[in-house]
Amino acid sequence: MLLEVKNLTTEFKLKRGIVKAVDNISFTIDKGEILAIVGESGSGKSVTSLSIMGLLQNPGRITGGEILYNSQDLNKLSRKELQKLRGNKISMIFQEPMTSLNPVWRIKDQIMESIMTHMNLSKKEALARTIEMLNTVGIPSAAQRANDYPHQMSGGMRQRVMTAMALACEPELLIADEPTTALDVTIQAQILELLYRMREKFHMAVMLITHDLGVVSEAADRVIVMYCGKIMEEADVKSLFSQPLHPYTVGLLQSIPQIDNESDERLYMIKGMVPNPLNMPSGCPFSDRCDQSMERCTKEMPELQDINGHKVRCFLYEGTEERGLCGK
């Protein structure tokens, strides 16, 4: 086991109240595994990644739980110790490369800075490593393009630069936050193929954060579905797509357009809206939008149950841990 998140809670203290962006979640990532975290905007996906990286901005703060990387609690490390890990053993591809890359620095200088910070290389060796990584991620004429500024590159190329920077020091864990957002489908496929190749080459684990279930089906080994800061379902990718359990997961899957669908029916849409994080319902946060909601759902929070390795937070499956799904 490479990473273990135990009972993590992350809050934002605002003037109007406290928002629990991540609410007591636990999960693990094994070496070489691709774990996808999916959910609507505001579900807590990106805050989870920033909590792990130690990059939360005020007023965000971790108020409970542990983040164990190789059995070392990241919450207890000093700022200097965290900086030594970030970009080295744990790297991150941020959601929007144009805002993550420094607009007044050449591409080579930004990648070289990371390499020289974490690897014992000379400037000449760091430049050679930079060009090697740009070649690895598929940037043509890498030696020339290394002299470009971010604005001189397309969105897909900037995403590749971010990937090259994140992989330059051969991390054990890569966190990719919406790496294919705003890219056309051809570039999306290329970025996913690149991540998969890099996983194979470096045997690194990947935490893939996305709202795109099509991306998940292509890339992930295991999937976590989040809603309002909580884990609603967790399973291997095949089980989740073939037998989704939570009504929220079912709704997400039904919302995917089907190319071979010849009916005139409108695309399925989950009713209602995500609740106000400052005024969360007392029971299951999905109860107001759920077609199978019971009175109990509006008053009590269901526990995350493990049914033969498939975890779900829903009263519909209460007591099925022992019997298995067939006994439901």
Side-chain angles (χ1 to χ4, degrees):
M1 185 186 303
L2 182 65
L3 182 77
E4 182 178 13
V5 175
K6 298 172 68 175
N7 308 118
L8 176 66
T9 298
T10 301
E11 297 179 348
F12 287 79
K13 191 174 182 180
L14 308 176
K15 289 182 179 179
R16 292 178 294 161
I18 294 176
V19 173
K20 279 191 177 181
V22 175
D23 190 0
N24 195 32
I25 69 169
S26 299
F27 63 89
T28 62
I29 302 178
D30 292 329
K31 291 183 178 180
E33 179 183 33
I34 298 181
L35 172 71
I37 301 182
V38 303
E40 293 173 275
S41 296
S43 62
K45 308 184 302 295
S46 293
V47 175
T48 298
S49 68
L50 293 174
S51 299
I52 292 170
M53 292 292 290
L55 293 174
L56 284 170
Q57 298 294 317
N58 192 51
R61 61 194 182 101
I62 295 173
T63 58
E66 299 175 301
I67 302 170
L68 304 175
Y69 170 73
N70 282 328
S71 301
Q72 185 179 34
D73 191 349
L74 300 185
N75 287 341
K76 296 180 179 178
L77 296 185
S78 66
R79 184 176 178 180
K80 188 175 182 180
E81 289 171 326
L82 267 177
Q83 287 175 338
K84 190 176 179 181
L85 274 178
R86 280 198 301 259
N88 185 16
K89 297 298 183 181
I90 306 175
S91 283
M92 185 168 178
I93 302 174
F94 292 92
Q95 195 170 104
E96 177 44 63
M98 195 59 198
T99 57
S100 302
L101 293 169
N102 191 321
V104 298
W105 277 30
R106 296 182 189 275
I107 294 301
K108 67 178 182 182
D109 296 325
Q110 301 190 50
I111 300 177
M112 286 172 63
E113 182 190 33
S114 176
I115 293 171
M116 294 176 72
T117 298
H118 299 293
M119 304 177 78
N120 187 24
L121 297 179
S122 66
K123 191 171 183 179
K124 183 178 180 180
E125 291 169 328
L127 177 59
R129 174 72 174 166
T130 295
I131 294 170
E132 176 191 352
M133 290 307 303
L134 291 175
N135 271 315
T136 299
V137 299
I139 292 183
S141 305
Q144 288 73 42
R145 298 307 301 268
N147 292 303
D148 287 354
Y149 291 95
H151 73 270
Q152 295 176 284
M153 292 187 155
S154 66
M157 285 297 176
R158 287 194 295 266
Q159 194 64 276
R160 289 171 185 269
V161 168
M162 286 292 298
T163 304
M165 189 183 304
L167 298 176
C169 298
E170 301 184 12
E172 292 183 317
L173 173 63
L174 174 68
I175 299 175
D177 189 358
E178 301 280 9
T180 59
T181 296
L183 301 178
D184 64 55
V185 290
T186 304
I187 302 300
Q188 282 187 22
Q190 292 173 358
I191 293 294
L192 289 176
E193 174 62 23
L194 172 63
L195 285 179
Y196 198 82
R197 283 194 290 110
M198 296 301 99
R199 187 270 289 264
E200 296 298 309
K201 182 175 180 179
F202 299 123
H203 195 62
M204 67 180 181
V206 179
M207 189 171 112
L208 176 63
I209 296 169
T210 182
H211 62 271
D212 190 332
L213 287 167
V215 168
V216 172
S217 66
E218 290 290 329
D221 300 311
R222 194 159 47 90
V223 189
I224 286 173
V225 180
M226 288 188 69
Y227 186 77
C228 292
K230 284 193 171 292
I231 293 176
M232 309 308 278
E233 187 164 357
E234 179 182 344
D236 65 84
V237 68
K238 185 177 180 181
S239 298
L240 189 98
F241 278 79
S242 64
Q243 193 176 20
L245 300 184
H246 199 282
Y248 177 57
T249 309
V250 173
L252 289 177
L253 292 172
Q254 288 178 343
S255 301
I256 301 174
Q258 302 294 326
I259 295 176
D260 57 353
N261 186 3
E262 298 179 357
S263 71
D264 294 327
E265 292 183 12
R266 292 183 64 186
L267 187 66
Y268 178 82
M269 185 169 62
I270 300 174
K271 67 181 182 182
M273 300 287 290
V274 177
N276 186 335
L278 289 167
N279 187 27
M280 293 293 292
S282 57
C284 173
F286 190 63
S287 59
D288 288 346
R289 308 177 70 189
C290 181
D291 293 329
Q292 302 185 66
S293 179
M294 303 173 281
E295 183 179 354
R296 183 183 182 188
C297 301
T298 64
K299 299 176 180 178
E300 301 175 42
M301 177 67 74
E303 296 293 327
L304 192 65
Q305 303 169 74
D306 190 329
I307 308 169
N308 300 326
H310 193 142
K311 298 178 182 179
V312 62
R313 186 185 301 277
C314 185
F315 288 128
L316 292 173
Y317 303 93
E318 191 172 49
T320 57
E321 299 99 321
E322 297 82 11
R323 301 196 304 272
L325 291 176
C326 293
K328 175 182 172 286

